[in-house]
Amino acid sequence: MTALFLDLEGAFDSAPHEGILYKLAFMGITGTSLAWVHDFLTGCSFQVPTHSHLLLYADDITIVSRALTLSEAQDHLQEAATALGAWMTTWGLQKASNSTYRHLKWEAVPYSTSHTLLGLRLDGPRLSWVNHISYIRTSCNKRLDVMKRIAGIHWEASCDLLLHYYKTTIRAKIQYVSCFYESAAYSNLLKLDPIQNAALRISMGVMRSSPVVSIQAESGIPPLSAHRRMTLCQQYYRILGLPASHPLSTLHSNSGVDQQAPVWLLAARQPLILDRSIYHHHLKIYTDGFRDASLPSSAAAIYDASTAICKTWRLPEYTDVLTMELFALLQALIYLRTSHPTSMVPSSATTLIHSIQSTFLHLLNTGWDITFQWVPSHSGIQGNEVVDAAAKMALTHVNITPLPLQPHSAKRLISRLCHSSWDSSLNTALRITSMGLYCSDSSPQPWVRKQSRILDVALTRLRLGHTRLTAHLHRLGLSPDPYCPWCRTVEETIEHFLLHCPRFHSHRVVLHDHLVALGVSTFDLPTLLAAAGVHSSHQAAVLRLTCVFLKKCGQLPCL
């Protein structure tokens, strides 16, 4: 596969106004609308071409050719370039650069092994993505310098703010078009991991010796490989939902949906008043959908108040609220259409809406006068209460009515499954680290985060087991001995510092008494540093007491 990339210099200013107006008229835009565009273009020096059969983005044009040999593909591209040059001449695009215009008309288009397309660095002929990965590293290292500045003592940005900065400005840069460069060699992809590792260390304020897996668990940020896998799965499912006419669609199609069906809108009014007045003589069919996240399970129900007939369906657990409500509406219309509802399973949310419209229009044509009315919960209408209770009961049904996985639901489900897979690997990896004492996965622990940057960093380093206490510094070769400066015969470990060192005995006694007052009987590292095993209402209080102990000890600079 070979591509020809063109950048029409001055294309905006050189686009002929007459040509633009002609194409708009050809598309059916006439009358006042066309006159308005004509007035807008008069005296305007910045216009956008409105028509091309090529793949284009603003004034960047890409022509792609696939052939058995490189020479054959180049011949095809040369023919296309010649045709494009003739088209430019016809429509007055004469202000392209001289070299480009010359190649389009007379000379052969030069062959290059590198090009940038929409921020993607392409390198030929094998697409190793080395250039793009190198560009990402250079660009992200500059953004890491900004992180270092705002994490310093003058700014003292919080950990949450720094992590948000990383996700929005650095990881977003790395993950841009990651679905394409995912095919790069594993050794090349590994070159991106140090960028995230450095960003997480800056955000958490931890030492360079801290294990990467512990930092990821503490921050809740998965490795780049897991994030790329999640993005790739989400993109793949999005392609499955594209229409058959889309170039990327090879596995799924939404064709057959009547896109010209009329659109109806509903207005909400006072339900109880309307039920007793306007709808008093109506045949009322109540619909409802219900989802219980604790099971998890979803269900839909309809209720015919005139015959006391209630029908329920248990739906897949991933079904969102909108789809449940639409499914119930469709089943209500089918119930009206026939006394024996047929099985109708839509292929997408769009198909579901158009199925409702189609059935609705069919009922109108057969003499029904139908009104849709939204009714909030617990409005005092008996039928609405019945269908609400029926939907809740349907959550326990054995049989589940299949429904397609909607794109937005699929995105959440894929994200949850990928995160669960990462948590499973974390559970094993954390067992051999100090972090394994405090957590077994990446579940958020908001009570351990502190507004004070110094306290937050100290607590994080203590949990990770990598501090500036002499025992750890000695292992790194930065201290002549591992002993506590006060005790001189015992290594200054985290456990010794927090639980045993006699230098801080008085402060430790006060801390223990306050913990007992809260009903916390254990006095160990998981309790002091992560409030493990403590009731959720007291977790934040336990961490506050630990912070008070650290400040009174005066050892924060040594952590």
Side-chain angles (χ1 to χ4, degrees):
M1 180 179 291
T2 310
L4 173 64
F5 302 99
L6 299 171
D7 184 4
L8 300 184
E9 183 178 326
F12 291 139
D13 294 334
S14 62
H17 296 179
E18 295 80 5
I20 294 177
L21 295 173
Y22 168 79
K23 294 172 191 287
L24 291 175
F26 183 78
M27 294 168 59
I29 301 177
T30 59
T32 305
S33 299
L34 187 63
W36 184 88
V37 175
H38 179 269
D39 291 341
F40 172 77
L41 293 177
T42 301
C44 185
S45 61
F46 185 79
Q47 303 93 27
V48 182
T50 59
H51 175 75
S52 176
H53 293 293
L54 306 177
L55 176 63
L56 58 86
Y57 181 83
D59 57 349
D60 294 329
I61 301 176
T62 303
I63 308 174
V64 181
S65 173
R66 176 180 296 176
L68 296 177
T69 63
L70 177 61
S71 59
E72 185 179 353
Q74 286 178 312
D75 291 340
H76 293 165
L77 291 179
Q78 186 63 55
E79 294 175 4
T82 303
L84 179 60
W87 177 83
M88 291 171 55
T89 302
T90 302
W91 292 103
L93 293 175
Q94 300 289 345
K95 291 188 178 180
S97 63
N98 294 333
S99 58
T100 302
Y101 189 71
R102 184 172 65 251
H103 289 308
L104 291 177
K105 294 198 66 176
W106 306 295
E107 299 179 6
V109 177
Y111 175 73
S112 175
T113 58
S114 62
H115 183 75
T116 301
L117 176 65
L118 301 180
L120 189 64
R121 269 63 179 174
L122 305 174
D123 54 340
R126 297 186 180 276
L127 275 182
S128 64
W129 302 109
V130 173
N131 293 347
H132 187 69
I133 292 176
S134 176
Y135 161 74
I136 292 176
R137 286 169 53 87
T138 303
S139 178
C140 291
N141 283 331
K142 296 178 181 178
R143 305 182 187 201
L144 284 175
D145 293 337
V146 177
M147 282 194 69
K148 294 175 183 178
R149 296 285 294 185
I150 61 179
I153 59 175
H154 296 292
W155 289 77
E156 289 192 353
S158 66
C159 173
D160 292 336
L161 176 62
L162 291 170
L163 289 176
H164 183 71
Y165 173 86
Y166 162 70
K167 288 187 285 187
T168 55
T169 64
I170 298 180
R171 192 176 69 176
K173 181 74 174 180
I174 297 175
Q175 295 302 119
Y176 175 65
V177 296
S178 61
C179 296
F180 291 95
Y181 72 79
E182 174 73 13
S183 60
Y186 179 70
S187 58
N188 288 330
L189 292 176
L190 284 180
K191 296 177 181 178
L192 297 176
D193 290 346
I195 298 175
Q196 171 165 293
N197 298 341
L200 295 184
R201 287 191 175 95
I202 295 171
S203 301
M204 313 297 293
V206 299
M207 301 179 65
R208 292 177 61 87
S209 60
S210 304
V212 173
V213 64
S214 298
I215 302 174
Q216 292 171 348
E218 177 76 10
S219 62
I221 303 293
L224 290 177
S225 58
H227 198 272
R228 283 195 301 267
R229 190 182 309 115
M230 180 188 69
T231 304
L232 186 63
C233 292
Q234 292 173 345
Q235 181 69 8
Y236 172 74
Y237 195 85
R238 188 188 73 83
I239 293 175
L240 290 181
L242 293 175
S245 58
H246 197 282
L248 296 177
S249 179
T250 57
L251 302 175
H252 182 70
S253 172
N254 285 333
S255 59
V257 177
D258 183 11
Q259 301 292 342
Q260 304 300 323
V263 178
W264 40 266
L265 300 175
L266 308 177
R269 303 174 184 174
Q270 294 295 331
L272 189 58
I273 298 176
L274 295 177
D275 181 62
R276 296 175 179 175
S277 57
I278 298 178
Y279 303 140
H280 179 66
H281 299 291
H282 281 62
L283 172 63
K284 292 183 278 290
I285 308 294
Y286 297 93
T287 68
D288 194 21
F290 189 81
R291 187 174 191 279
D292 190 343
S294 61
L295 292 178
S297 185
S298 303
I302 65 172
Y303 174 65
D304 182 358
S306 62
T307 60
I309 294 177
C310 185
K311 294 183 176 294
T312 58
W313 296 264
R314 183 180 175 185
L315 305 177
E317 63 182 55
Y318 53 73
T319 307
D320 59 281
V321 176
L322 175 62
T323 303
M324 290 187 297
E325 299 289 355
L326 291 175
F327 180 84
L329 278 177
L330 176 60
Q331 296 303 323
L333 293 174
I334 295 176
Y335 172 79
L336 287 176
R337 186 173 180 176
T338 172
S339 57
H340 301 284
T342 58
S343 177
M344 181 181 296
V345 180
S347 60
S348 67
T350 304
T351 308
L352 182 58
I353 294 175
H354 284 281
S355 298
I356 294 174
Q357 294 179 352
S358 176
T359 308
F360 172 71
L361 294 175
H362 173 79
L363 292 171
L364 290 182
N365 293 331
T366 56
W368 285 89
D369 184 10
I370 299 175
T371 303
F372 292 91
Q373 177 62 53
W374 172 71
V375 180
S377 301
H378 311 297
S379 301
I381 299 178
Q382 182 180 2
N384 192 47
E385 301 298 330
V386 171
V387 74
D388 180 69
K392 294 179 181 178
M393 292 176 60
L395 294 173
T396 58
H397 284 188
V398 176
N399 297 325
I400 299 178
T401 302
L403 279 179
L405 186 60
Q406 305 304 322
H408 56 279
S409 299
K411 186 175 182 179
R412 290 196 300 267
L413 180 61
I414 291 172
S415 177
R416 186 164 64 248
L417 290 176
C418 291
H419 207 87
S420 176
S421 176
W422 174 51
D423 278 343
S424 299
S425 63
L426 272 182
N427 191 13
T428 303
L430 289 175
R431 292 176 183 175
I432 60 175
T433 67
S434 301
M435 197 66 184
L437 292 173
Y438 313 103
C439 66
S440 59
D441 54 31
S442 63
S443 300
Q445 298 177 332
W447 58 88
V448 303
R449 301 263 69 90
K450 296 301 172 184
Q451 287 295 105
S452 170
R453 174 72 174 172
I454 297 178
L455 286 174
D456 192 64
V457 169
L459 288 173
T460 302
R461 290 185 177 185
L462 289 169
R463 281 191 295 271
L464 266 60
H466 289 246
T467 66
R468 288 188 288 182
L469 297 175
T470 55
H472 183 66
L473 292 180
H474 179 70
R475 288 198 295 269
L476 299 178
L478 301 177
S479 175
D481 61 75
Y483 301 116
C484 173
W486 181 266
C487 303
R488 299 308 305 169
T489 58
V490 182
E491 291 188 2
E492 191 183 26
T493 62
I494 295 175
E495 183 176 7
H496 173 76
F497 164 65
L498 290 177
L499 304 181
H500 305 300
C501 185
R503 181 182 182 184
F504 312 114
H505 176 72
S506 60
H507 302 310
R508 193 176 297 113
V509 170
V510 174
L511 172 61
H512 185 268
D513 292 342
H514 282 93
L515 291 177
V516 172
L518 290 175
V520 180
S521 58
T522 56
F523 193 81
D524 53 15
L525 294 183
T527 302
L528 297 180
L529 299 179
V534 179
H535 191 272
S536 58
S537 60
H538 294 152
Q539 287 176 327
V542 171
L543 266 295
R544 282 197 298 270
L545 292 175
T546 302
C547 290
V548 172
F549 171 79
L550 293 177
K551 287 190 290 186
K552 287 185 177 181
C553 290
Q555 296 299 299
L556 286 176
C558 301
L559 299 177

